[in-house]
Amino acid sequence: MNTQPLTGRRVLAIGGDLSDLAKGPLRGAILESGGLDRLTGAGIADADLLIINADAWDPAALAAGIQALALCAAPPPVLMVGAHLPTAVVRNLLRIERSDVLDAPYSHDNIEAAITGLMAARASSAAAAPSGEVAHCWAVTGAVGGSGATTIAIEIATQLCVRSSKDKSVCLIDLNLADGSAAAYLGSSPAMRLGDLGRSAEKLDRDMLQAFVTPVTKQLDLLAAARDPLAFDTIPPEAILRLLEVACDNYRWVVVDMPRHRRAWSVQALSGCDEVLVISELTVPALLAARSLSDEIERAIGSGQKPRIVLNRLAGRMFGPAPSMAEAERALQRKAEGGVSSDWEAAAASVNLGGPISTHRPKSKIVKDVQVLVERLAAESAQRDGKTSRAA
């Protein structure tokens, strides 16, 4: 096998002796050994390849070292080897984009193949360039608790995926950091750990973003954190804003599930969005809250951008205690952007089974109504892009 890519490359071994490998898979490389402390802040300036011997370290210490490595802005490719590979350590390692694991016993050929793959992946990643497409960021927030904002955000993201055949084109970000439910609704595990950044938000880049991502489908990625009642107090605004910035640099569409109550970063985050959707139920208290929240956002942003109010859980019957659409718009003192029909059975099935409503109940009125909403907003975005392009 060809090991030419390692000639003159710096290989850092974290535990273990590389002398045997130096005659085979690592021949021609510049070899160095170090401890777990070398993983903190490690980047391509420190080594072209990391080889970690899992058997040389206590599992807890190794897990802490891998976590520190995952927080690096651009960690080198990593190969972990060993006869005893703790599952938690391996799972965290594989969140690093360029990483691989070899379980003993393994041969020199196995190591060569793994190294070749890692170095090729590094070259491919380095050669990747932004597509040049204009990114669009839509924020979704509820006027009152339980208005269905998270469900609507998930369905919007899913419909945007339908419009794009490109992999990893849509990102759903759950910024309800204390008690977000997007991951639970999708049957996914949250992987975002913004608290680990501390005050070093600038470390967050494309590679680290991917370590925080939970893939949902080929097109859709989820950024969600485990529920933490202290998250809003411990995660600095700079980390939230940097997350949104990097996400918009790497996805065609970004859908943000915003917390209902204003945070230190809310206004700046909403100012960077192309659309702000306020979700309201068809009750008088919810409508009054939607009008108040929309006015508040409009004043805070101050750019002339008006939030769009979407009425959720519209009843199919003509008469009843709920206000009609016309009555709702009188209470709002503005036109509603659209409505989403009530379909409790479809929504409940989706939540219980894990995944968007469009997967479990594709003929639901909710799916159709959200599709109409997304098509209209996307068409308006395309028109704005066209005007901007012609003006340039």
Side-chain angles (χ1 to χ4, degrees), residues 327-339:
E327 290 171 333
E329 290 180 336
R330 281 199 294 272
L332 292 171
Q333 297 182 356
R334 67 178 72 193
K335 296 286 289 184
E337 181 62 28

PDB file of all heavy atoms in Angstrom, residues 327-339:
ATOM      1  N   GLU A 327     -61.914  37.599  12.456  1.00  0.00           N
ATOM      2  CA  GLU A 327     -61.917  38.113  13.822  1.00  0.00           C
ATOM      3  C   GLU A 327     -60.511  38.080  14.419  1.00  0.00           C
ATOM      4  O   GLU A 327     -60.117  38.988  15.161  1.00  0.00           O
ATOM      5  CB  GLU A 327     -62.877  37.279  14.677  1.00  0.00           C
ATOM      6  CG  GLU A 327     -64.341  37.489  14.316  1.00  0.00           C
ATOM      7  CD  GLU A 327     -65.245  36.498  15.014  1.00  0.00           C
ATOM      8  OE1 GLU A 327     -64.764  35.375  15.336  1.00  0.00           O
ATOM      9  OE2 GLU A 327     -66.412  36.825  15.224  1.00  0.00           O
ATOM     10  N   ALA A 328     -59.769  37.041  14.087  1.00  0.00           N
ATOM     11  CA  ALA A 328     -58.393  36.935  14.587  1.00  0.00           C
ATOM     12  C   ALA A 328     -57.546  38.085  14.060  1.00  0.00           C
ATOM     13  O   ALA A 328     -56.758  38.687  14.807  1.00  0.00           O
ATOM     14  CB  ALA A 328     -57.793  35.599  14.166  1.00  0.00           C
ATOM     15  N   GLU A 329     -57.713  38.418  12.791  1.00  0.00           N
ATOM     16  CA  GLU A 329     -56.914  39.500  12.209  1.00  0.00           C
ATOM     17  C   GLU A 329     -57.305  40.861  12.769  1.00  0.00           C
ATOM     18  O   GLU A 329     -56.463  41.756  12.870  1.00  0.00           O
ATOM     19  CB  GLU A 329     -57.041  39.465  10.690  1.00  0.00           C
ATOM     20  CG  GLU A 329     -56.331  38.251  10.088  1.00  0.00           C
ATOM     21  CD  GLU A 329     -56.438  38.176   8.581  1.00  0.00           C
ATOM     22  OE1 GLU A 329     -57.391  38.752   8.022  1.00  0.00           O
ATOM     23  OE2 GLU A 329     -55.567  37.534   7.966  1.00  0.00           O
ATOM     24  N   ARG A 330     -58.561  40.989  13.181  1.00  0.00           N
ATOM     25  CA  ARG A 330     -58.959  42.241  13.844  1.00  0.00           C
ATOM     26  C   ARG A 330     -58.281  42.355  15.210  1.00  0.00           C
ATOM     27  O   ARG A 330     -57.835  43.435  15.611  1.00  0.00           O
ATOM     28  CB  ARG A 330     -60.481  42.297  13.983  1.00  0.00           C
ATOM     29  CG  ARG A 330     -61.192  42.693  12.696  1.00  0.00           C
ATOM     30  CD  ARG A 330     -62.609  43.173  12.972  1.00  0.00           C
ATOM     31  NE  ARG A 330     -63.462  42.096  13.486  1.00  0.00           N
ATOM     32  CZ  ARG A 330     -64.153  41.265  12.723  1.00  0.00           C
ATOM     33  NH1 ARG A 330     -64.085  41.370  11.387  1.00  0.00           N
ATOM     34  NH2 ARG A 330     -64.929  40.338  13.250  1.00  0.00           N
ATOM     35  N   ALA A 331     -58.173  41.217  15.904  1.00  0.00           N
ATOM     36  CA  ALA A 331     -57.487  41.230  17.198  1.00  0.00           C
ATOM     37  C   ALA A 331     -55.997  41.496  17.024  1.00  0.00           C
ATOM     38  O   ALA A 331     -55.370  42.183  17.841  1.00  0.00           O
ATOM     39  CB  ALA A 331     -57.709  39.900  17.919  1.00  0.00           C
ATOM     40  N   LEU A 332     -55.434  40.965  15.936  1.00  0.00           N
ATOM     41  CA  LEU A 332     -54.004  41.152  15.658  1.00  0.00           C
ATOM     42  C   LEU A 332     -53.698  42.548  15.141  1.00  0.00           C
ATOM     43  O   LEU A 332     -52.548  43.005  15.210  1.00  0.00           O
ATOM     44  CB  LEU A 332     -53.534  40.132  14.613  1.00  0.00           C
ATOM     45  CG  LEU A 332     -53.507  38.661  15.030  1.00  0.00           C
ATOM     46  CD1 LEU A 332     -53.244  37.778  13.816  1.00  0.00           C
ATOM     47  CD2 LEU A 332     -52.440  38.425  16.087  1.00  0.00           C
ATOM     48  N   GLN A 333     -54.724  43.205  14.562  1.00  0.00           N
ATOM     49  CA  GLN A 333     -54.567  44.505  13.901  1.00  0.00           C
ATOM     50  C   GLN A 333     -53.571  44.414  12.741  1.00  0.00           C
ATOM     51  O   GLN A 333     -52.855  45.363  12.440  1.00  0.00           O
ATOM     52  CB  GLN A 333     -54.138  45.581  14.909  1.00  0.00           C
ATOM     53  CG  GLN A 333     -55.160  45.835  15.988  1.00  0.00           C
ATOM     54  CD  GLN A 333     -54.763  46.929  16.944  1.00  0.00           C
ATOM     55  OE1 GLN A 333     -53.673  47.488  16.861  1.00  0.00           O
ATOM     56  NE2 GLN A 333     -55.644  47.274  17.881  1.00  0.00           N
ATOM     57  N   ARG A 334     -53.548  43.263  12.124  1.00  0.00           N
ATOM     58  CA  ARG A 334     -52.720  43.030  10.929  1.00  0.00           C
ATOM     59  C   ARG A 334     -53.165  41.735  10.286  1.00  0.00           C
ATOM     60  O   ARG A 334     -53.841  40.916  10.916  1.00  0.00           O
ATOM     61  CB  ARG A 334     -51.235  42.976  11.293  1.00  0.00           C
ATOM     62  CG  ARG A 334     -50.831  41.784  12.147  1.00  0.00           C
ATOM     63  CD  ARG A 334     -49.347  41.778  12.426  1.00  0.00           C
ATOM     64  NE  ARG A 334     -48.974  42.815  13.373  1.00  0.00           N
ATOM     65  CZ  ARG A 334     -47.720  43.189  13.608  1.00  0.00           C
ATOM     66  NH1 ARG A 334     -46.726  42.606  12.947  1.00  0.00           N
ATOM     67  NH2 ARG A 334     -47.441  44.135  14.494  1.00  0.00           N
ATOM     68  N   LYS A 335     -52.731  41.519   9.058  1.00  0.00           N
ATOM     69  CA  LYS A 335     -53.057  40.272   8.365  1.00  0.00           C
ATOM     70  C   LYS A 335     -52.174  39.151   8.903  1.00  0.00           C
ATOM     71  O   LYS A 335     -50.992  39.356   9.212  1.00  0.00           O
ATOM     72  CB  LYS A 335     -52.819  40.424   6.865  1.00  0.00           C
ATOM     73  CG  LYS A 335     -53.710  41.438   6.186  1.00  0.00           C
ATOM     74  CD  LYS A 335     -55.142  40.923   6.017  1.00  0.00           C
ATOM     75  CE  LYS A 335     -55.223  39.829   4.966  1.00  0.00           C
ATOM     76  NZ  LYS A 335     -56.629  39.398   4.743  1.00  0.00           N
ATOM     77  N   ALA A 336     -52.754  37.974   8.993  1.00  0.00           N
ATOM     78  CA  ALA A 336     -51.965  36.792   9.339  1.00  0.00           C
ATOM     79  C   ALA A 336     -51.298  36.268   8.077  1.00  0.00           C
ATOM     80  O   ALA A 336     -51.864  36.332   6.983  1.00  0.00           O
ATOM     81  CB  ALA A 336     -52.846  35.718   9.955  1.00  0.00           C
ATOM     82  N   GLU A 337     -50.059  35.766   8.238  1.00  0.00           N
ATOM     83  CA  GLU A 337     -49.332  35.248   7.081  1.00  0.00           C
ATOM     84  C   GLU A 337     -49.978  33.988   6.546  1.00  0.00           C
ATOM     85  O   GLU A 337     -49.938  33.711   5.347  1.00  0.00           O
ATOM     86  CB  GLU A 337     -47.882  34.960   7.469  1.00  0.00           C
ATOM     87  CG  GLU A 337     -47.023  34.443   6.328  1.00  0.00           C
ATOM     88  CD  GLU A 337     -46.916  35.452   5.196  1.00  0.00           C
ATOM     89  OE1 GLU A 337     -47.024  36.668   5.472  1.00  0.00           O
ATOM     90  OE2 GLU A 337     -46.743  35.022   4.042  1.00  0.00           O
ATOM     91  N   GLY A 338     -50.581  33.208   7.415  1.00  0.00           N
ATOM     92  CA  GLY A 338     -51.219  31.973   6.986  1.00  0.00           C
ATOM     93  C   GLY A 338     -51.697  31.200   8.186  1.00  0.00           C
ATOM     94  O   GLY A 338     -51.551  31.639   9.336  1.00  0.00           O
ATOM     95  N   GLY A 339     -52.309  30.079   7.916  1.00  0.00           N
ATOM     96  CA  GLY A 339     -52.823  29.246   8.991  1.00  0.00           C
ATOM     97  C   GLY A 339     -52.438  27.800   8.810  1.00  0.00           C
ATOM     98  O   GLY A 339     -52.213  27.335   7.685  1.00  0.00           O
TER      99      GLY A 339
END
